[in-house]
Amino acid sequence: MNRSYLPGILAMAAVVVASNILVQFLFGQWLTWGAFTYPIAFLITDVMNRVYGTGPARRVVFAGFVVGVVCSLIGTQIMGEFGPLVTLRIAIGSGLAFLTAQLLDVSIFAALRGGKWWRAPLISTLVGSSVDTALFFTIAFSGALSWIEPGNDVSWAGEMLPMLGTGPVAPLWVSLAAADWMVKLSLALLALVPFRIIVTRLTAKPA
């Protein structure tokens, strides 16, 4: 493996580990601290894609996926107040969402590479983040998928409440997903600044 890819791999691993830890800590009523670190994974993927190409970007994604699987396996062995910190549904949802969204990000970025510098990272991240949120929260908490892990009671996530406290009535997990999605979209815009700076420094020319 090219040593120049190592910083990207280490950065992705650090983000995945940090997010798996910080997701245990609440931030307000609808979010966890992990919601603010996880979107950095898209920034790392996009920088790798712009500087080194789709192949290295995918290697970084797969490295992050492996680290995520390890974190999930460790989490299944740690007992919290209501059982294992990581359930089967959360593990499947997390892994599938990460891999699908990140690889989609790589493909969309590659397709838009020739446009304005901000177009590829912004659109690929917005689409990838949306898919990531939809897959994870649906697989992990939707009552319609309770057959995945019948012994895991996620009825609390199906409690009907005003969406984000003020909107139409919806299951609690939908509010959690919406809040997470809005953070991802906001950070996708903010990430354009470090993306531009990092890529310019690594290539010594505008991205």
Side-chain angles (χ1 to χ4, degrees):
M1 180 180 292
N2 192 321
R3 289 185 179 180
S4 59
Y5 307 158
L6 188 58
I9 291 174
L10 293 178
M12 181 66 82
V15 167
V16 171
V17 172
S19 298
N20 273 272
I21 294 173
L22 293 175
V23 75
Q24 309 298 326
F25 302 96
L26 293 175
F27 178 86
Q29 187 175 359
W30 312 106
L31 296 166
T32 70
W33 281 102
F36 299 95
T37 56
Y38 178 75
I40 299 174
F42 289 97
L43 171 61
I44 296 169
T45 300
D46 290 345
V47 169
M48 291 297 298
N49 205 339
R50 173 63 79 186
V51 177
Y52 301 109
T54 57
R58 289 192 180 99
R59 291 190 186 97
V60 169
V61 168
F62 284 119
F65 174 73
V66 171
V67 172
V69 169
V70 172
C71 288
S72 291
L73 290 175
I74 293 174
T76 61
Q77 303 304 309
I78 301 176
M79 299 302 293
E81 183 179 356
F82 303 103
L85 292 183
V86 178
T87 64
L88 176 62
R89 289 185 64 174
I90 288 178
I92 293 175
S94 177
L96 185 60
F98 177 87
L99 195 58
T100 303
Q102 292 291 330
L103 291 179
L104 183 60
D105 178 283
V106 172
S107 296
I108 294 175
F109 190 106
L112 301 176
R113 182 183 299 276
K116 294 183 181 295
W117 72 267
W118 53 265
R119 188 181 176 197
L122 180 60
I123 295 178
S124 63
T125 298
L126 290 178
V127 174
S129 296
S130 299
V131 170
D132 182 279
T133 298
L135 281 177
F136 173 72
F137 283 93
T138 300
I139 294 172
F141 302 118
S142 173
L145 298 180
S146 59
W147 53 268
I148 295 176
E149 191 178 15
N152 177 23
D153 182 13
V154 293
S155 58
W156 60 271
E159 183 180 0
M160 302 300 290
L161 298 168
M163 192 168 176
L164 296 175
T166 58
V169 174
L172 170 60
W173 70 267
V174 174
S175 288
L176 300 177
D180 181 84
W181 181 64
M182 288 189 288
V183 169
K184 286 191 175 96
L185 297 191
S186 299
L187 293 181
L189 291 171
L190 294 176
L192 290 175
V193 175
F195 173 84
R196 181 69 164 176
I197 293 172
I198 295 170
V199 169
T200 300
R201 289 184 176 178
L202 290 178
T203 60
K205 61 182 180 180

